[in-house]
Amino acid sequence: MKSTVHIQVAAAAKGSYLKKAYFETPFKVANITEDKKKHPLHLMLMSSSPGILDTDDYEFKIDVEQHAALHLHTQAYQRIFHMKQQATQQLQVKLADGASFIYLPHPTVPHEQSSFTCRNFFYLGNACRFVYGEILTCGRKLNGEQFLFSKYQSISHVYLNNKLLIKENLLMMPDLINVHAVGQLEGYTHQASLIYLQEAVDMEHLRVLLSEILVSEKNMEAGISALPINGIIIRLLGIGAEQLYNCLLRVNAVLPVKPSNKLQHAG
């Protein structure tokens, strides 16, 4: 099934609003904002499908206009089912100057013999706030189905004023690459990452704070690295999807909302 979703968010005097929403089966966009007079606008991407099926081709386009703020949510874990061929997905996000975008989707669960390729393109203007996370599991672990998928690839590009600054390429093919080898997962079964970009924020102060939060987690490894622009990337290795997902939510909760040396809690 080929499906397209297009979301446009604009700024109003006291908050952000949904300017346009176009979606095709099986998707639907729901406004779950509790206080519509405050930033950001909270939208949930819902689906009537049990997951990603063979030959599915999804295209998501998101435009956040100047000074608007969007927090995009997912409905549940993303399952990728058994396939004879493959499925593909493309996400394109454009942020105008001063826009804010948060997207921390639920973990992805690739089933046996699934093959999936996702390409993400993020185009940022000046003074944007950008938070994006991703969690990949080993499969249906509780069913004894670990690393039986054929291929999972997620390629993310982050541009600032049309100049490529960050490129992430997560490729896992368990039949060809030993996922437990040195330099791979080394015994862990789940992995997560989070990219945070924002001008005029003391990233070193933030890194220290986040390290204190993450070091308290058991059965998990964490690392925080600086990016070529004012931002950080966090990488996590663990053995449970829920733990990693909750960690990303905790991280997002302490990320500064506005450029300041004083950390403020995000809404």
Side-chain angles (χ1 to χ4, degrees), residues 115-169:
S115 181
F116 179 70
T117 299
C118 174
R119 291 179 172 85
N120 305 308
F121 298 90
F122 303 104
Y123 298 94
L124 280 60
N126 294 314
C128 289
R129 183 175 189 270
F130 176 75
V131 183
Y132 171 70
E134 180 179 20
I135 302 173
L136 177 63
T137 74
C138 61
R140 294 182 292 182
K141 185 177 180 180
L142 297 180
N143 290 0
E145 188 179 301
Q146 298 186 41
F147 300 113
L148 296 182
F149 55 90
S150 299
K151 175 186 175 183
Y152 180 89
Q153 185 170 25
S154 176
I155 309 171
S156 297
H157 308 75
V158 181
Y159 295 83
L160 177 61
N161 294 321
N162 294 316
K163 179 182 179 181
L164 180 63
L165 294 179
I166 303 169
K167 182 176 180 179
E168 286 278 291
N169 187 358

Side-chain angles (χ1 to χ4, degrees), residues 8-78:
Q8 225 174 331
V9 176
K14 295 184 179 181
S16 299
Y17 67 97
L18 182 58
K19 185 176 181 180
K20 175 183 177 180
Y22 171 81
F23 45 86
E24 297 175 332
T25 305
F27 295 105
K28 181 178 180 180
V29 176
N31 189 341
I32 60 171
T33 309
E34 294 184 2
D35 188 344
K36 294 180 172 56
K37 294 182 179 180
K38 294 183 178 180
H39 281 296
L41 176 70
H42 290 263
L43 299 179
M44 178 173 286
L45 184 61
M46 306 176 70
S47 175
S48 59
S49 172
I52 297 176
L53 307 175
D54 197 9
T55 71
D56 278 352
D57 183 10
Y58 298 155
E59 183 177 5
F60 303 101
K61 292 183 178 180
I62 300 172
D63 297 314
V64 185
E65 296 185 1
Q66 193 170 17
H67 303 304
L70 170 62
H71 188 155
L72 185 63
H73 302 259
T74 51
Q75 185 179 9
Y77 281 47
Q78 180 65 76

Side-chain angles (χ1 to χ4, degrees), residues 138 147 179-180 185-190 219-221 237-239:
C138 61
F147 300 113
V179 297
H180 301 297
L185 298 186
E186 301 184 18
Y188 290 98
T189 54
H190 297 58
N219 300 316
M220 191 186 82
E221 294 288 341
L237 293 177
I239 58 175

Side-chain angles (χ1 to χ4, degrees), residues 3 8 37 116 137 168 198 201-203 224 233 251 261:
S3 302
Q8 225 174 331
K37 294 182 179 180
F116 179 70
T137 74
E168 286 278 291
Q198 189 170 3
V201 169
D202 186 344
M203 289 297 170
I224 305 175
I233 182 168
V251 166
N261 286 333

